[in-house]
Amino acid sequence: YGKCPGCLMFCFDIETLGVESNAVILSAGIIYWNPTENFDYDELLRRGLYVKFSADAQIKMGRTVDKGTVEWWSKQGEVQRKLALSRNPDDLSPEEGLRRLRQYYLDTRKDDTNRIIWTRGSLDQVCIDSLSRAVRVEDVGPYNVYRDVRTSIDLLCESARSGYCEVDHPSFSWDRVIKHHPVHDCAADIMMMRYGK
């Protein structure tokens, strides 16, 4: 990241009910970070924005649910299932959830014009952009600012295996990461990109 010291970076993650671009999006998380600054896991969690979408609203729109993905969720831990699959009256409409994500992207340190959004693979970008088009809300960020977390980690870290590496930070512990919670997943990816070895 040495050639992009002025870049404002974001990590973005979604949880879905499928693996196609029109899958129902259960939740999303986004966190900003600067590769020249020091931070810890707790600070990243505090910075993050968590959005829980209404799955029912998306199903009514014709967004898809994949049986295999539903079965996969049934095998996850109770905490993960409850966070992802519970229906709450305060779940956001697709329009409102997307607006909040875009506002976070636009309002965070407005003086930084060079921006990158890191995602783990391409599904997150194509799903969120598909949902934005379906409800006629502007994309969270431009299509050309997205980059892949796994590639970054594999190139930066000697211990990287399939997009994961060790984190060299005294306060970080993998047992604190709530897997499949988008803000926690983002924070873990950022810690690997910033402090990976």
Side-chain angles (χ1 to χ4, degrees):
Y1 308 112
K3 294 183 180 178
C4 195
C7 287
L8 181 62
M9 300 197 184
F10 296 82
C11 197
F12 178 71
D13 184 61
I14 63 172
E15 298 300 332
T16 68
L17 285 177
V19 293
E20 301 295 335
S21 62
N22 64 345
V24 168
I25 299 175
L26 299 168
S27 58
I30 188 169
I31 304 175
Y32 76 89
W33 62 291
N34 184 320
T36 64
E37 295 176 351
N38 293 319
F39 44 76
D40 63 21
Y41 190 71
D42 289 322
E43 183 178 347
L44 292 173
L45 294 178
R46 287 191 298 272
R47 282 187 199 174
L49 171 68
Y50 174 72
V51 169
K52 178 77 165 55
F53 286 100
S54 167
D56 292 335
Q58 294 175 71
I59 291 168
K60 287 177 187 173
M61 294 168 46
R63 307 282 298 176
T64 62
V65 176
D66 173 67
K67 182 181 176 184
T69 305
V70 173
E71 288 174 6
W72 177 86
W73 275 112
S74 73
K75 297 173 185 170
Q76 303 310 304
E78 183 180 350
V79 170
Q80 287 85 350
R81 287 195 317 271
K82 186 174 181 182
L83 283 167
L85 302 176
S86 63
R87 290 176 164 90
N88 301 305
D90 54 349
D91 287 352
L92 298 176
S93 69
E95 295 87 346
E96 181 59 25
L98 289 163
R99 285 189 193 103
R100 290 189 189 187
L101 291 164
R102 180 166 172 76
Q103 207 60 49
Y104 181 99
Y105 174 79
L106 292 175
D107 286 351
T108 302
R109 294 181 41 177
K110 293 181 179 181
D111 56 318
D112 289 297
T113 56
N114 297 319
R115 293 167 179 249
I116 292 173
I117 300 176
W118 294 96
T119 63
R120 190 161 276 274
S122 60
L123 181 65
D124 300 52
Q125 179 186 1
V126 297
C127 278
I128 206 73
D129 287 354
S130 170
L131 184 59
S132 295
R133 286 191 301 275
V135 296
R136 295 181 171 85
V137 172
E138 266 192 281
D139 294 338
V140 174
Y143 76 95
N144 61 340
V145 301
Y146 285 86
R147 305 291 186 271
D148 178 46
V149 167
R150 290 178 292 204
T151 303
S152 171
I153 292 169
D154 285 347
L155 290 172
L156 289 171
C157 304
E158 293 178 11
S159 67
R161 300 290 184 271
S162 303
Y164 289 92
C165 67
E166 298 175 34
V167 175
D168 186 15
H169 192 282
S171 71
F172 182 78
S173 172
W174 281 105
D175 61 9
R176 296 194 53 222
V177 178
I178 301 173
K179 293 179 182 178
H180 312 304
H181 182 295
V183 172
H184 278 261
D185 286 345
C186 285
D189 280 342
I190 293 168
M191 292 298 287
M192 285 187 284
M193 287 190 284
R194 177 66 179 85
Y195 300 108
K197 64 175 185 175

PDB file of all heavy atoms in Angstrom, residues 30 49-51 90 92 95-105:
ATOM      1  N   ILE A  30     -19.526  -2.395   6.559  1.00  0.00           N
ATOM      2  CA  ILE A  30     -18.498  -1.602   5.898  1.00  0.00           C
ATOM      3  C   ILE A  30     -17.677  -0.888   6.970  1.00  0.00           C
ATOM      4  O   ILE A  30     -18.234  -0.424   7.975  1.00  0.00           O
ATOM      5  CB  ILE A  30     -19.109  -0.606   4.881  1.00  0.00           C
ATOM      6  CG1 ILE A  30     -18.015   0.083   4.043  1.00  0.00           C
ATOM      7  CG2 ILE A  30     -20.026   0.387   5.557  1.00  0.00           C
ATOM      8  CD1 ILE A  30     -18.557   0.866   2.852  1.00  0.00           C
ATOM      9  N   LEU A  49     -20.079   0.074  10.132  1.00  0.00           N
ATOM     10  CA  LEU A  49     -21.522   0.234   9.980  1.00  0.00           C
ATOM     11  C   LEU A  49     -22.105  -1.135   9.654  1.00  0.00           C
ATOM     12  O   LEU A  49     -21.634  -1.816   8.735  1.00  0.00           O
ATOM     13  CB  LEU A  49     -21.841   1.209   8.849  1.00  0.00           C
ATOM     14  CG  LEU A  49     -23.332   1.294   8.452  1.00  0.00           C
ATOM     15  CD1 LEU A  49     -24.154   1.928   9.579  1.00  0.00           C
ATOM     16  CD2 LEU A  49     -23.495   2.060   7.152  1.00  0.00           C
ATOM     17  N   TYR A  50     -23.124  -1.526  10.406  1.00  0.00           N
ATOM     18  CA  TYR A  50     -23.819  -2.795  10.188  1.00  0.00           C
ATOM     19  C   TYR A  50     -25.221  -2.496   9.686  1.00  0.00           C
ATOM     20  O   TYR A  50     -25.935  -1.659  10.260  1.00  0.00           O
ATOM     21  CB  TYR A  50     -23.886  -3.580  11.495  1.00  0.00           C
ATOM     22  CG  TYR A  50     -24.697  -4.851  11.426  1.00  0.00           C
ATOM     23  CD1 TYR A  50     -24.229  -5.964  10.738  1.00  0.00           C
ATOM     24  CD2 TYR A  50     -25.935  -4.945  12.062  1.00  0.00           C
ATOM     25  CE1 TYR A  50     -24.966  -7.138  10.688  1.00  0.00           C
ATOM     26  CE2 TYR A  50     -26.681  -6.115  12.021  1.00  0.00           C
ATOM     27  CZ  TYR A  50     -26.188  -7.201  11.330  1.00  0.00           C
ATOM     28  OH  TYR A  50     -26.916  -8.365  11.277  1.00  0.00           O
ATOM     29  N   VAL A  51     -25.618  -3.143   8.619  1.00  0.00           N
ATOM     30  CA  VAL A  51     -26.957  -2.985   8.059  1.00  0.00           C
ATOM     31  C   VAL A  51     -27.607  -4.352   7.982  1.00  0.00           C
ATOM     32  O   VAL A  51     -27.054  -5.282   7.390  1.00  0.00           O
ATOM     33  CB  VAL A  51     -26.898  -2.347   6.650  1.00  0.00           C
ATOM     34  CG1 VAL A  51     -28.242  -2.439   5.964  1.00  0.00           C
ATOM     35  CG2 VAL A  51     -26.434  -0.908   6.727  1.00  0.00           C
ATOM     36  N   ASP A  90     -37.074  -3.961  12.993  1.00  0.00           N
ATOM     37  CA  ASP A  90     -36.207  -2.848  12.592  1.00  0.00           C
ATOM     38  C   ASP A  90     -35.285  -3.211  11.427  1.00  0.00           C
ATOM     39  O   ASP A  90     -34.391  -2.437  11.072  1.00  0.00           O
ATOM     40  CB  ASP A  90     -35.396  -2.333  13.778  1.00  0.00           C
ATOM     41  CG  ASP A  90     -34.597  -3.427  14.481  1.00  0.00           C
ATOM     42  OD1 ASP A  90     -34.827  -4.621  14.192  1.00  0.00           O
ATOM     43  OD2 ASP A  90     -33.740  -3.080  15.316  1.00  0.00           O
ATOM     44  N   LEU A  92     -34.036  -3.229   7.783  1.00  0.00           N
ATOM     45  CA  LEU A  92     -34.180  -2.100   6.861  1.00  0.00           C
ATOM     46  C   LEU A  92     -34.666  -2.546   5.488  1.00  0.00           C
ATOM     47  O   LEU A  92     -34.324  -3.626   5.009  1.00  0.00           O
ATOM     48  CB  LEU A  92     -32.838  -1.381   6.706  1.00  0.00           C
ATOM     49  CG  LEU A  92     -32.261  -0.765   7.980  1.00  0.00           C
ATOM     50  CD1 LEU A  92     -30.892  -0.172   7.703  1.00  0.00           C
ATOM     51  CD2 LEU A  92     -33.199   0.286   8.546  1.00  0.00           C
ATOM     52  N   GLU A  95     -33.928  -0.113   0.057  1.00  0.00           N
ATOM     53  CA  GLU A  95     -33.608   1.283  -0.257  1.00  0.00           C
ATOM     54  C   GLU A  95     -32.894   1.963   0.900  1.00  0.00           C
ATOM     55  O   GLU A  95     -31.862   2.625   0.715  1.00  0.00           O
ATOM     56  CB  GLU A  95     -34.889   2.067  -0.607  1.00  0.00           C
ATOM     57  CG  GLU A  95     -35.588   1.605  -1.860  1.00  0.00           C
ATOM     58  CD  GLU A  95     -36.584   0.465  -1.628  1.00  0.00           C
ATOM     59  OE1 GLU A  95     -36.568  -0.160  -0.550  1.00  0.00           O
ATOM     60  OE2 GLU A  95     -37.370   0.194  -2.540  1.00  0.00           O
ATOM     61  N   GLU A  96     -33.425   1.820   2.105  1.00  0.00           N
ATOM     62  CA  GLU A  96     -32.833   2.486   3.267  1.00  0.00           C
ATOM     63  C   GLU A  96     -31.467   1.899   3.622  1.00  0.00           C
ATOM     64  O   GLU A  96     -30.527   2.641   3.929  1.00  0.00           O
ATOM     65  CB  GLU A  96     -33.770   2.402   4.473  1.00  0.00           C
ATOM     66  CG  GLU A  96     -33.252   3.096   5.722  1.00  0.00           C
ATOM     67  CD  GLU A  96     -32.980   4.581   5.542  1.00  0.00           C
ATOM     68  OE1 GLU A  96     -33.591   5.218   4.642  1.00  0.00           O
ATOM     69  OE2 GLU A  96     -32.148   5.123   6.292  1.00  0.00           O
ATOM     70  N   GLY A  97     -31.337   0.594   3.573  1.00  0.00           N
ATOM     71  CA  GLY A  97     -30.049  -0.027   3.865  1.00  0.00           C
ATOM     72  C   GLY A  97     -28.973   0.426   2.893  1.00  0.00           C
ATOM     73  O   GLY A  97     -27.846   0.755   3.287  1.00  0.00           O
ATOM     74  N   LEU A  98     -29.312   0.461   1.614  1.00  0.00           N
ATOM     75  CA  LEU A  98     -28.355   0.908   0.596  1.00  0.00           C
ATOM     76  C   LEU A  98     -27.990   2.377   0.780  1.00  0.00           C
ATOM     77  O   LEU A  98     -26.822   2.753   0.634  1.00  0.00           O
ATOM     78  CB  LEU A  98     -28.934   0.677  -0.802  1.00  0.00           C
ATOM     79  CG  LEU A  98     -29.029  -0.784  -1.233  1.00  0.00           C
ATOM     80  CD1 LEU A  98     -29.967  -0.930  -2.424  1.00  0.00           C
ATOM     81  CD2 LEU A  98     -27.650  -1.339  -1.561  1.00  0.00           C
ATOM     82  N   ARG A  99     -28.962   3.199   1.119  1.00  0.00           N
ATOM     83  CA  ARG A  99     -28.673   4.627   1.353  1.00  0.00           C
ATOM     84  C   ARG A  99     -27.708   4.816   2.517  1.00  0.00           C
ATOM     85  O   ARG A  99     -26.806   5.639   2.459  1.00  0.00           O
ATOM     86  CB  ARG A  99     -29.969   5.402   1.605  1.00  0.00           C
ATOM     87  CG  ARG A  99     -30.791   5.652   0.370  1.00  0.00           C
ATOM     88  CD  ARG A  99     -31.944   6.616   0.628  1.00  0.00           C
ATOM     89  NE  ARG A  99     -32.858   6.575  -0.490  1.00  0.00           N
ATOM     90  CZ  ARG A  99     -34.024   5.941  -0.501  1.00  0.00           C
ATOM     91  NH1 ARG A  99     -34.444   5.291   0.562  1.00  0.00           N
ATOM     92  NH2 ARG A  99     -34.799   5.956  -1.571  1.00  0.00           N
ATOM     93  N   ARG A 100     -27.895   4.040   3.571  1.00  0.00           N
ATOM     94  CA  ARG A 100     -27.000   4.165   4.726  1.00  0.00           C
ATOM     95  C   ARG A 100     -25.573   3.732   4.378  1.00  0.00           C
ATOM     96  O   ARG A 100     -24.612   4.376   4.798  1.00  0.00           O
ATOM     97  CB  ARG A 100     -27.526   3.343   5.898  1.00  0.00           C
ATOM     98  CG  ARG A 100     -28.777   3.937   6.503  1.00  0.00           C
ATOM     99  CD  ARG A 100     -29.171   3.248   7.777  1.00  0.00           C
ATOM    100  NE  ARG A 100     -30.484   3.692   8.218  1.00  0.00           N
ATOM    101  CZ  ARG A 100     -31.036   3.359   9.358  1.00  0.00           C
ATOM    102  NH1 ARG A 100     -30.398   2.538  10.198  1.00  0.00           N
ATOM    103  NH2 ARG A 100     -32.233   3.793   9.690  1.00  0.00           N
ATOM    104  N   LEU A 101     -25.440   2.664   3.620  1.00  0.00           N
ATOM    105  CA  LEU A 101     -24.110   2.213   3.207  1.00  0.00           C
ATOM    106  C   LEU A 101     -23.433   3.256   2.320  1.00  0.00           C
ATOM    107  O   LEU A 101     -22.260   3.591   2.506  1.00  0.00           O
ATOM    108  CB  LEU A 101     -24.205   0.877   2.464  1.00  0.00           C
ATOM    109  CG  LEU A 101     -24.598  -0.326   3.312  1.00  0.00           C
ATOM    110  CD1 LEU A 101     -25.034  -1.496   2.424  1.00  0.00           C
ATOM    111  CD2 LEU A 101     -23.456  -0.755   4.227  1.00  0.00           C
ATOM    112  N   ARG A 102     -24.187   3.791   1.363  1.00  0.00           N
ATOM    113  CA  ARG A 102     -23.613   4.812   0.465  1.00  0.00           C
ATOM    114  C   ARG A 102     -23.243   6.072   1.243  1.00  0.00           C
ATOM    115  O   ARG A 102     -22.204   6.684   1.001  1.00  0.00           O
ATOM    116  CB  ARG A 102     -24.583   5.125  -0.667  1.00  0.00           C
ATOM    117  CG  ARG A 102     -24.031   6.184  -1.624  1.00  0.00           C
ATOM    118  CD  ARG A 102     -24.814   6.269  -2.910  1.00  0.00           C
ATOM    119  NE  ARG A 102     -24.394   7.393  -3.710  1.00  0.00           N
ATOM    120  CZ  ARG A 102     -23.279   7.439  -4.435  1.00  0.00           C
ATOM    121  NH1 ARG A 102     -22.454   6.409  -4.442  1.00  0.00           N
ATOM    122  NH2 ARG A 102     -22.972   8.512  -5.150  1.00  0.00           N
ATOM    123  N   GLN A 103     -24.095   6.462   2.184  1.00  0.00           N
ATOM    124  CA  GLN A 103     -23.806   7.665   2.974  1.00  0.00           C
ATOM    125  C   GLN A 103     -22.527   7.486   3.781  1.00  0.00           C
ATOM    126  O   GLN A 103     -21.724   8.407   3.893  1.00  0.00           O
ATOM    127  CB  GLN A 103     -24.985   7.983   3.909  1.00  0.00           C
ATOM    128  CG  GLN A 103     -25.104   9.438   4.259  1.00  0.00           C
ATOM    129  CD  GLN A 103     -25.307  10.323   3.033  1.00  0.00           C
ATOM    130  OE1 GLN A 103     -26.154  10.049   2.188  1.00  0.00           O
ATOM    131  NE2 GLN A 103     -24.515  11.362   2.911  1.00  0.00           N
ATOM    132  N   TYR A 104     -22.341   6.319   4.352  1.00  0.00           N
ATOM    133  CA  TYR A 104     -21.109   6.029   5.090  1.00  0.00           C
ATOM    134  C   TYR A 104     -19.910   6.176   4.159  1.00  0.00           C
ATOM    135  O   TYR A 104     -18.907   6.795   4.506  1.00  0.00           O
ATOM    136  CB  TYR A 104     -21.183   4.610   5.659  1.00  0.00           C
ATOM    137  CG  TYR A 104     -19.976   4.176   6.468  1.00  0.00           C
ATOM    138  CD1 TYR A 104     -19.999   4.231   7.857  1.00  0.00           C
ATOM    139  CD2 TYR A 104     -18.827   3.686   5.853  1.00  0.00           C
ATOM    140  CE1 TYR A 104     -18.901   3.812   8.616  1.00  0.00           C
ATOM    141  CE2 TYR A 104     -17.734   3.270   6.589  1.00  0.00           C
ATOM    142  CZ  TYR A 104     -17.775   3.339   7.971  1.00  0.00           C
ATOM    143  OH  TYR A 104     -16.678   2.933   8.709  1.00  0.00           O
ATOM    144  N   TYR A 105     -20.014   5.607   2.969  1.00  0.00           N
ATOM    145  CA  TYR A 105     -18.928   5.687   1.992  1.00  0.00           C
ATOM    146  C   TYR A 105     -18.632   7.133   1.607  1.00  0.00           C
ATOM    147  O   TYR A 105     -17.471   7.544   1.528  1.00  0.00           O
ATOM    148  CB  TYR A 105     -19.302   4.863   0.757  1.00  0.00           C
ATOM    149  CG  TYR A 105     -18.321   4.977  -0.384  1.00  0.00           C
ATOM    150  CD1 TYR A 105     -17.124   4.268  -0.381  1.00  0.00           C
ATOM    151  CD2 TYR A 105     -18.591   5.786  -1.485  1.00  0.00           C
ATOM    152  CE1 TYR A 105     -16.217   4.361  -1.426  1.00  0.00           C
ATOM    153  CE2 TYR A 105     -17.696   5.890  -2.535  1.00  0.00           C
ATOM    154  CZ  TYR A 105     -16.519   5.178  -2.497  1.00  0.00           C
ATOM    155  OH  TYR A 105     -15.621   5.289  -3.537  1.00  0.00           O
TER     156      TYR A 105
END
